Amino acid sequence: MTVLGATGSVGRATLELIAEAPPGSFEVVALVANGNATALAAAARWVRARRAVVADASALPTLQAALAGTGIAVDGGPAAVIAAASIPVDWTMAAIVGAAGLPATMAAAAGGGIVSIANKECLVCAGRMLHAVAEAAGTTLLPADSEHNAIFQALDGTAPDSIERIVLTASGGPFRDWPRERMRAIRPEDALNHPVWRMGAKVTIDSATMMNKGLEVIEAACLFPVPADRIEVLVHPEAAIHGIVQYIDGSMLAQMGPPDMRVPIAHTLAWPRRMTTATRRLDLASLGRITFELPDYQRFPALTIAREALAAGGAAPTILNAANEVAVRLFLEGRIGFLGIAALVAAALDRLGTPAAPDLDAVLEADATARRTALDLAAGPAFA
Ligand code: NDP
């Protein structure tokens, strides 16, 4: 197996499952990260990986020094990442954050086996192309994102014409009850404090704005045979149910579990079987009650903006995603306000319209243009 994004939150959870499995269950071919050579070297030693690769070539000397004498091969730079992702394996975890993960995920999808996809931005930008590449190579794409994994489990191969709607649940993030006026003053440290999930910074901010759920609606439209208007979002603060499928006979199948990424990752790792995990079990009696409410589209406009980008099609989801990545970074750097994130994404979409995205080159061009546009727009005072 190979883990792309091995030093991140999802990568780490994946490596924990590997380390806890009976010896000899898994053989790690390659681990990939960006620039965190020290953490990557420690991870490679931990799971006895054959190869460790950093995308940022300037981190290669540190990686080399940290793994000297271990026999673990090292490499650096974008081409080395693609080469590592292209080594044929049975299973790949695609957990690089952002559209930066697209080339490596594409390379993995072209190589056969199973690709477990946490990197939702890849699906948002180039889902159709990723499916086409996977299909041509006989690769199985499995969703590792907890909501989509839940839907996948609840669908269990049922014919599309039996599905009435699917429901993605959302914890609602740390500002679920906050009036919009109060959100103006949210600081990065407030937004990084998610009430339920422990995740990387980007997806944590996306959860706070609910752009995460918007991206997930697009991701669901790409993964499942259900039109966008039958993909619903329901706020469920206890995060016990991760996804629901409602069938045409009125049955609803929900997947439940603890809010722990090791559960959906393990599902894709053992699929079509199951494997033992050491995760905390969901204790329904102590949970007592679970609640649901509709999302507030006025206070969380990112959800509406994402749905509109999905409906517009073409490169609009790519522009949405790229502008959001820029906006999240600017917010974390204190250069725009919390409410500026969704506003900047909307402004970038307004400015760029809906270019066609017939192939990967067009997607990459739209991504680059959207990043430049979002940076230009952010220089004005409107997003403070
Ligand atoms: P983190 O920020 O914790 O980790 C990101 C990983 O990607 C790190 O290993 C980082 O390496 C690596 N990386 C970043 N840029 C590059 C690059 N250009 N080339 C190679 N590697 C790169 O993110 P998460 O683990 O939280 O999230 C990963 C993905 O999974 C995201 O798309 C997220 O939306 C999705 N996801 C995450 C969930 C979670 O619980 N965390 C839940 C569901 C989905 P380095 O450390 O060297 O910077």
Side-chain angles (χ1 to χ4, degrees):
M1 59 164 49
T2 283
V3 181
L4 308 172
T7 50
S9 162
V10 172
R12 174 84 195 178
T14 308
L15 298 185
E16 281 172 15
L17 290 168
I18 294 167
E20 283 162 9
S25 304
F26 301 110
E27 199 178 325
V28 179
V29 170
L31 297 183
V32 171
N34 189 22
N36 194 346
T38 308
L40 183 64
R45 284 174 185 266
W46 184 36
V47 296
R48 297 191 184 84
R50 282 194 225 150
R51 173 175 294 267
V53 178
V54 277
D56 177 358
S58 70
L60 183 56
T62 310
L63 186 65
Q64 268 161 341
L67 290 176
T70 60
I72 299 171
V74 295
D75 210 346
V81 169
I82 302 295
S86 304
I87 301 171
V89 284
D90 296 326
W91 192 87
T92 301
M93 166 50 73
I96 293 174
V97 61
L102 188 51
T105 306
M106 279 285 188
I114 289 172
V115 179
S116 174
I117 301 193
N119 185 190
K120 64 190 81 182
E121 297 90 347
C122 280
L123 289 166
V124 168
C125 295
R128 201 167 38 80
M129 293 148 214
L130 203 53
H131 277 297
V133 166
E135 198 176 331
T139 303
T140 303
L141 302 180
L142 295 180
D145 205 352
S146 56
E147 296 78 1
H148 305 76
N149 182 266
I151 301 293
F152 180 68
Q153 293 197 42
L155 279 173
D156 199 23
T158 310
D161 61 3
S162 298
I163 307 164
E164 198 160 81
R165 63 178 186 133
I166 62 177
V167 180
L168 306 173
T169 55
S171 71
F175 314 120
R176 182 170 57 87
D177 303 326
W178 286 34
R180 199 163 156 75
E181 212 29 60
R182 193 176 163 205
M183 291 184 190
R184 207 168 289 286
I186 290 169
R187 298 161 308 167
E189 55 268 39
D190 307 321
L192 285 170
N193 192 16
H194 195 277
V196 182
W197 295 91
R198 292 284 154 257
M199 310 178 285
K202 194 265 177 180
V203 63
T204 304
I205 301 300
D206 285 349
S207 297
T209 59
M210 290 197 77
M211 181 60 88
N212 184 48
K213 217 43 61 178
L215 295 172
E216 287 181 2
V217 169
I218 303 175
E219 183 184 8
C222 161
L223 286 168
F224 306 117
V226 179
D229 62 350
R230 289 198 268 134
I231 300 170
E232 293 179 15
V233 172
L234 208 49
V235 175
H236 164 48
E238 297 80 11
I241 291 180
H242 305 295
I244 305 167
V245 179
Q246 181 174 311
Y247 289 99
I248 51 174
D249 58 5
S251 287
M252 294 175 105
L253 293 189
Q255 187 265 353
M256 302 180 78
D260 185 329
M261 278 302 288
R262 287 176 298 173
V263 176
I265 296 168
H267 178 258
T268 68
L269 192 47
W271 186 84
R273 292 183 292 276
R274 298 268 177 178
M275 64 187 276
T276 305
T277 71
T279 57
R280 182 180 65 80
R281 276 19 180 182
L282 196 58
D283 180 348
L284 294 177
S286 16
L287 193 61
R289 69 180 63 228
I290 52 177
T291 58
F292 302 95
E293 64 197 43
L294 289 172
D296 185 332
Y297 288 87
Q298 303 300 320
R299 286 187 301 121
F300 295 98
L303 263 175
T304 308
I305 298 166
R307 279 200 184 274
E308 286 170 358
L310 173 60
T318 302
I319 294 167
L320 170 98
N321 177 67
N324 180 57
E325 287 191 30
V326 170
V328 169
R329 179 167 56 76
L330 295 177
F331 169 68
L332 288 172
E333 291 169 359
R335 291 162 63 189
I336 63 171
F338 182 77
L339 296 182
I341 299 175
L344 184 56
V345 174
L349 280 160
D350 279 351
R351 168 82 61 95
L352 295 173
T354 308
D359 53 30
L360 194 57
D361 285 344
V363 166
L364 295 175
E365 194 183 319
D367 176 271
T369 307
R371 283 170 203 270
R372 280 196 304 275
T373 303
L375 273 176
D376 284 354
L377 288 165
F383 309 102

